[in-house]
Amino acid sequence: MDENATRTTDAAASAAPPVRRPRSLVAARVVLVPYLVFVALVVFLPADDASRVTGIVWWAAHALADLGLPLGETAVVLEFAANVALFVPIGLASRLAFPRVRPWAIVVAGCLGSTCIELVQLAIPSRVSTVSDVVANTLGALLGVALAAVTSAAGHRVGRRGPA
């Protein structure tokens, strides 16, 4: 290739417009970071401090116990549901933020992340580590990825039809 052709190619490459990312991708990436910080605070703070954020689980368990449900079993179910709910936004935002990453890889990352959380919690005296938390968090990541797929499919259907 001669020198003039190289200059023309370089000039064309530098004049190319920047890659524009869809707003949903940028928004998902922006939301994901502070949400991960929030999750880290909830799962790594000592139990007394974290309970200020997660105390709603016990409040709900007591409210349901007042209606006649057994407190202990209700608290376990609500705690599991809260752990699922905690990871749904992670699966959803991760899938929207990184659409080229395979959905199963996001679910595996959720499982590995949850496992790491539980292992770190072993070293925090006031925290309790359980396998059920890993299961619940992984299920939450899976539901988030599924929700992203449903949302994306619905968006494509609306885009083909046009605005109502």
Side-chain angles (χ1 to χ4, degrees), residues 81-100:
N83 276 300
V84 171
L86 187 66
F87 268 61
V88 168
I90 293 173
L92 174 64
S94 295
R95 184 69 182 129
L96 295 176
F98 305 103
R100 292 184 181 193

Side-chain angles (χ1 to χ4, degrees), residues 3-69:
E3 189 176 326
N4 288 335
T6 304
R7 278 192 212 138
T8 304
T9 305
D10 291 343
S14 64
V19 175
R20 294 185 47 87
R21 299 193 191 314
R23 279 190 225 161
S24 61
L25 183 137
V26 174
R29 289 180 181 179
V30 168
V31 167
L32 186 59
V33 172
Y35 189 75
L36 289 173
V37 170
F38 165 76
V39 169
L41 288 172
V42 168
V43 300
F44 294 132
L45 284 174
D48 291 339
D49 295 330
S51 68
R52 292 185 189 130
V53 176
T54 61
I56 192 165
V57 170
W58 282 103
W59 174 85
H62 283 282
L64 291 171
D66 290 344
L67 297 174
L69 293 174

Side-chain angles (χ1 to χ4, degrees), residues 66-157:
D66 290 344
L67 297 174
L69 293 174
L71 178 62
E73 290 85 349
T74 302
V76 168
V77 170
L78 290 176
E79 182 73 26
F80 187 87
N83 276 300
V84 171
L86 187 66
F87 268 61
V88 168
I90 293 173
L92 174 64
S94 295
R95 184 69 182 129
L96 295 176
F98 305 103
R100 292 184 181 193
V101 175
R102 301 227 184 244
W104 63 263
I106 293 171
V107 175
V108 169
C111 180
L112 292 173
S114 179
T115 301
C116 289
I117 288 168
E118 296 304 312
L119 290 173
V120 170
Q121 285 183 346
L122 285 172
I124 303 172
S126 62
R127 300 304 296 242
V128 176
S129 246
T130 66
V131 173
S132 66
D133 285 355
V134 174
V135 171
N137 295 155
T138 303
L139 179 58
L142 175 65
L143 291 174
V145 167
L147 185 58
V150 168
T151 306
S152 178
H156 289 308
R157 280 195 306 272

